[in-house]
Amino acid sequence: MLEKLFSLGYSKTFAERYYQLWGERALAIAEAMERPLPRCFRVNTLRIEVPKLTKLLNKKGFQFRRVLWAREGFCLTREPFSITSTPEYLSGLLYIQEASSMYPPVALDPKPGEVVADMAAAPGGKTSYMAQLMENEGIIYAFDVGEDRLKETRLNLSRLGVTNTILFHSSSLHIDELGIEFDKILLDAPCTGSGTIHKNPERKANRTMEDVRFCQGLQMKLLEKGLSVLKKGGVLVYSTCSLEPEENELVIQWVLDNFDVELLPLRYGEPALTKPFGIELSEEIKKARRFYPDRHGTSGFFVAKIKKL
């Protein structure tokens, strides 16, 4: 079993960790990540209604299935030519987005008129989905540190017709300097990306436990800062594209132990782990969700919905 994980290119450290976490299933997860994911897209309802766009694409020979958790989301089952070369894509009627990435905005459920923060926004997929769910009403404060990625975000938001978002070229660790209390916050946290091996195969071998610990420390700082500017009764959705419990369940356990919050249940995905590596965590952690390539046909993904009491 471990030999097979080594043969796929995983380092000894991570092969052993995954076997400890999932036993024989670790190989099924690893093998599923060797296969490319289906190309998925979201209909941009700021510019067109869902039935109208699906009809236009069907006429051109595109076929797709609905994403379970996103009423505007679809995954292609037939792509006669690249969907990114269609006038529909170029004019912002749709956005290419991985299925699991559609879930955090849906879980957050921002409403028109609310004051929302996106703490790590680039390249704008989740930001633009939130704007769409808010019908461009209310305001989104979107932060990112990467200048080039922020340029890409600006272009994406412009193409999609998003008008309720202010972009900040800054770390969201400075979010409190705005002096604003937020109704809702999305933190799609910087992470080791171990759930995205299908597009970043080098991560099988070049990540270390030091990387995991570095990301965990940053995630905790960002969560602490986010919770400090969230209104009482407000909701923060935390997500990563990491498989590592240190960046997921253990971070959420730390939040439960140190802040006056509760986890809200999520409908889709598998319950999060409550005994990773034999560490006993709160049963509440089951309310957070994991997505796996072998069962959900997505990247490895984690989502938790936190309410401030």
Side-chain angles (χ1 to χ4, degrees), residues 116-127:
V116 177
D118 188 342
M119 293 182 74
K126 297 179 186 73
T127 318

Side-chain angles (χ1 to χ4, degrees), residues 42-257:
R42 188 185 82 240
V43 179
N44 178 21
T45 52
L46 294 175
R47 293 214 188 274
I48 193 168
E49 291 165 0
V50 173
K52 274 189 184 167
L53 182 70
T54 53
K55 202 176 279 185
L56 282 171
L57 292 176
N58 281 152
K59 277 185 184 166
K60 294 181 177 179
F62 291 94
Q63 291 171 4
F64 30 80
R65 56 178 171 77
R66 192 177 281 276
V67 174
L68 263 182
W69 45 86
R71 63 178 180 269
E72 305 87 356
F74 298 87
C75 289
L76 289 158
T77 53
R78 182 169 184 270
E79 190 175 9
F81 54 95
S82 176
I83 197 166
T84 58
S85 63
T86 61
E88 289 80 7
Y89 172 81
L90 298 168
S91 58
L93 306 186
L94 64 95
Y95 182 83
I96 303 298
Q97 188 168 20
E98 213 258 285
S100 57
S101 290
M102 297 180 199
Y103 195 41
V106 170
L108 188 64
D109 191 25
K111 303 287 189 203
E114 289 184 329
V115 179
V116 177
D118 188 342
M119 293 182 74
K126 297 179 186 73
T127 318
S128 58
Y129 196 2
M130 291 196 294
Q132 179 176 322
L133 295 170
M134 294 165 75
E135 297 167 18
N136 255 342
E137 292 174 22
I139 189 160
I140 300 171
Y141 293 83
F143 293 79
D144 214 275
V145 288
E147 193 169 350
D148 289 342
R149 281 166 60 77
L150 220 48
K151 280 180 192 163
E152 187 186 352
T153 307
R154 194 175 295 115
L155 290 170
N156 279 330
L157 297 185
S158 171
R159 182 172 62 83
L160 296 166
V162 171
T163 56
N164 72 338
T165 299
I166 301 172
L167 291 179
F168 290 86
H169 180 208
S170 164
S171 164
S172 51
L173 289 171
H174 300 291
I175 193 170
D176 54 333
E177 292 168 20
L178 292 175
I180 292 167
E181 271 201 317
F182 293 90
D183 298 302
K184 288 176 181 163
I185 295 176
L186 178 66
L187 173 54
D188 185 46
C191 69
T192 56
S194 52
T196 63
I197 298 295
H198 55 279
K199 58 183 179 188
N200 301 299
E202 70 285 350
R203 294 191 180 185
K204 290 188 262 191
N206 69 5
R207 283 169 309 123
T208 64
M209 284 309 297
E210 204 173 306
D211 298 327
V212 174
R213 283 187 286 271
F214 171 81
C215 286
Q216 183 190 54
L218 178 57
Q219 290 151 359
M220 287 173 168
K221 282 180 196 158
L222 288 165
L223 274 166
E224 184 171 14
K225 196 62 80 166
L227 289 168
S228 76
V229 295
L230 186 64
K231 283 181 184 169
K232 275 196 170 185
V235 171
L236 184 152
V237 165
Y238 173 83
S239 59
T240 77
C241 55
S242 170
L243 295 172
E244 315 310 320
E246 290 86 351
E247 299 180 75
N248 298 324
E249 289 88 352
L250 296 179
V251 165
I252 298 304
Q253 183 67 59
W254 173 80
V255 169
L256 291 175
D257 291 343

Side-chain angles (χ1 to χ4, degrees), residues 16-33:
E16 287 173 351
R17 280 166 62 78
Y18 295 161
Y19 184 65
Q20 253 187 295
L21 283 173
W22 298 296
E24 295 296 320
R25 186 183 170 196
L27 185 60
I29 292 169
E31 286 177 340
M33 278 201 282

